[in-house]
Structure formats: C-alpha cells, structure tokens
Amino acid sequence: SLPIRLRLVRVYYCREEFDKALEICNAILEEHPLFFPAMGSKAWILALSGQYQHAVEVFRELPEGTMAHDYKFSGLAFASVHMGNPEEALNCLQKLRERAEVGDLTAPDYHFALIYHAMGKEEEMFRHMTSGIVNRDFNFLFVKSDPMWKKYHSEARFIKLVKDLFAGDQEGQ
C-alpha cells in the first residue's frame, strides 16, 4: 500500500540509503505520477544526495495550493544555495514569509530553519528550530533521525532542543 511504501521511503531516507529510498519513490510515481508525498520525498532525497539540479526540477513540479507547496519553496531554496544561487534562495524565503504573514504556511519555523541551515546561518536556524519546537511543529518530530540535521547531533544547542521536544510541559503533556 502507498502508506507503507512511504514509511519505507522514510526509513531508508533516515538511514541515508538514498538509492533504495529513491527506487521506491520512482516505483510509486510510475503507478501514481502526481502523488505529491512521493514527489516531495524524491526531491528531498535528491537534494540530500547532492543531485541538486534534479532536485530543483522535481521541487518545481510540486503544485501550488497544497501542503507540498510549502516544501517546494524550502526545498528550492536549499538546493539553490548548494548550487551557488543564493538569490533564488532569498526569493523562496521571501515567498515563504509572505505565505506565513497571511497564515497560508503550515509550519513556518521548519521551513525557515531549513533555509537558514542551507545558508549556514546557524543562529537564525536555531532560533526557528526553537520556536518550532515550542509551537509543537510536527515536522520537528523526526529532527533526530533526519539526516538533514546530522551535522548538529553533537552540538549542545541541538541536544537541548531534542530533549525539549520530548520533555513536554510541566504536566508532562
């Protein structure tokens, strides 16, 4: 089933077995060409495996007016920075800010953190990660297993964020 196959994509992605994850995404997309979760997963897998141009092509195919639209801009920004095109990343950042201002952005802190991570602006990245975790942004639930954030695993600020994420409030909720 599609949900099980997508979970398997996530497992391979988190284990950095990008070839296997991409193989499953491609198989899903052969059967369901416009299945947006598989398209988004494919784009991020391509980006994290260094295939930035191909990732940009897939990100651009993600439709507007869906949750995939949010990931389209953060993904385009991420890949653009790595391709040496920071202007495109700034344009995407501006589009996300505009969407956030009118309440159309599902998880603004997550997307801003991704972009600032790509730009190497760690203070801004951690500020948005902290805000996202305080606001219980669901995207941060996998922050410890997502290879996107791997380089920060031993950093004290990251460790504290992960602890805060799973600590709950004073009532343990």
Side-chain angles (χ1 to χ4, degrees), residues 143-156:
V143 71
K144 181 70 173 140
S145 62
D146 190 330
M148 172 73 68
W149 312 105
K150 186 176 181 177
K151 80 180 238 182
Y152 300 106
H153 284 187
S154 62
E155 187 168 324

Side-chain angles (χ1 to χ4, degrees), residues 52-142:
Y52 303 118
Q53 184 59 49
H54 194 181
V56 164
E57 293 166 9
V58 177
F59 279 124
R60 286 196 172 128
E61 292 176 16
L62 291 171
E64 297 189 17
T66 68
M67 191 171 161
H69 188 223
D70 302 341
Y71 297 92
K72 173 180 188 167
F73 289 120
S74 57
L76 281 171
F78 181 88
S80 294
V81 166
H82 290 284
M83 291 172 56
N85 188 357
E87 297 82 24
E88 177 67 19
L90 292 173
N91 289 337
C92 291
L93 184 60
Q94 183 57 37
K95 288 177 185 175
L96 286 170
R97 282 186 182 133
E98 290 167 4
R99 287 176 50 84
E101 286 173 8
V102 296
D104 285 344
L105 187 59
T106 312
D109 288 306
Y110 180 76
H111 297 288
F112 295 142
L114 282 173
I115 294 170
Y116 288 122
H117 165 57
M119 293 177 162
K121 295 182 177 185
E122 290 184 0
E123 293 306 316
E124 287 295 310
M125 179 196 76
F126 275 111
R127 184 173 67 78
H128 283 287
M129 289 180 83
T130 301
S131 177
I133 287 170
V134 166
N135 293 321
R136 301 286 190 211
D137 180 339
F138 69 93
N139 286 291
F140 287 111
L141 286 176
F142 302 101

